[in-house]
Every structure is written in C-alpha cells, then in structure tokens.
Amino acid sequence: LKRLAESGIVRTIGVGGGRVIQFNTTHYFAPVVQQLFDAERKRCQELFDALQQAVHSVVPTPRAVWIEGPHAMGQDTVRDALRVAVLVNVRDRQTTADGLAERFRVIERTFGLTVDVVLRTMADLRTLATEQRDALHHVRLIHGVPPIHLVDDGDSRAGGDGNDRAGQREART
C-alpha cells in the first residue's frame, strides 16, 4: 500500500488506526486499474458459478459445499490451491469424489488453477479441532447450509465436543 500511495494510485486519509485507503479515480492509470479489478471480479464470479454448476450436477448432491482456507479469507497467493470442502454422507463419499473430480478438472483447465477437494462427513465436522472449527466462520458457501450452523451449538460454544445429540438421547432414556 505504501508504494501505491507513493505513486498516487491510492490515497491515505487519516492517521493511525483511523486511516482509510481510497482508490484515486483521478490518477492517470485509474481507468486501467479499474478495468483490471472489474475483469478479476467477473472472473471470480464465473469461477463461483462454474463451481456451483459442478456441485449441482453431481448425484447425489452433497449436503453442503464451501470454499475454505486462504481464498475464503481473501489471503490467498498465486501458489495457493483453491480448497473446496464437500460435506457428504459416508455411503456417497466415493461417488461424490469421482463425480466432482471429473468436473473440477474442467474448471482447473478453464481457469488455470488447482482445486483441492476435502471430503468431510458430519462426524468429521464434529471432531474438528477448535482452530479448524473457528475457521468455519470464514468460509464462502457454494451450496447448502453454512458448515458452522451444522456444528455450532450450545456445546461447541461452551467448549464441549459439539455432539449434543448423544447427550439428548441419553437424557431421554
């Protein structure tokens, strides 16, 4: 940002923690920079649409699919693969993996990126370490229910194991 400010492409307004960075629309290169950002925004939307289409074409459709990791948090680099997590039933794991692999290969070629698929079951979600569970707050949902809604219950907030159904069954018997 310092170099962009020095070149005048962005402006720094304010000081310290109250500092705001603003794009300088009057800069000579502003139209070209804006075109680059617009093209990247369009490319990202096309990628997201292709991922949704791929997910919806798999039978059976996964329960939930999301982008996680650096891409979801806007902290990705050129070297980072796009990490797509897929919530599946245990019995559908292989069928879903095979169907998505074929479709994601096309996406990889089309967009010039690598897609890493992480297949998860509800048991996998319930046994995530605290840091991994916290990261579920920062995913980009492609399909289904946000994964944090599937694991974030009273027990998980209180530091329990998140498996409140077992406790409910025991209480009823």
Side-chain angles (χ1 to χ4, degrees), residues 60-64 86-96 119-122:
T61 304
R63 184 169 178 187
V86 183
L87 181 61
V88 296
N89 293 320
V90 174
R91 70 178 181 278
D92 300 327
R93 190 178 195 117
Q94 194 58 52
T95 305
T96 301
L119 296 173
R120 294 205 171 112
T121 64
M122 281 303 298

Side-chain angles (χ1 to χ4, degrees), residues 38-76:
D38 291 345
E40 183 63 13
R41 186 178 304 109
K42 180 181 177 200
R43 182 177 181 273
C44 288
Q45 187 59 53
E46 289 170 353
L47 171 60
F48 191 78
D49 292 345
L51 291 167
Q52 281 185 319
Q53 189 173 21
V55 167
H56 291 135
S57 70
V58 173
V59 177
T61 304
R63 184 169 178 187
V65 181
W66 61 91
I67 296 170
E68 62 182 21
H71 284 85
M73 299 178 74
Q75 300 173 344
D76 55 296

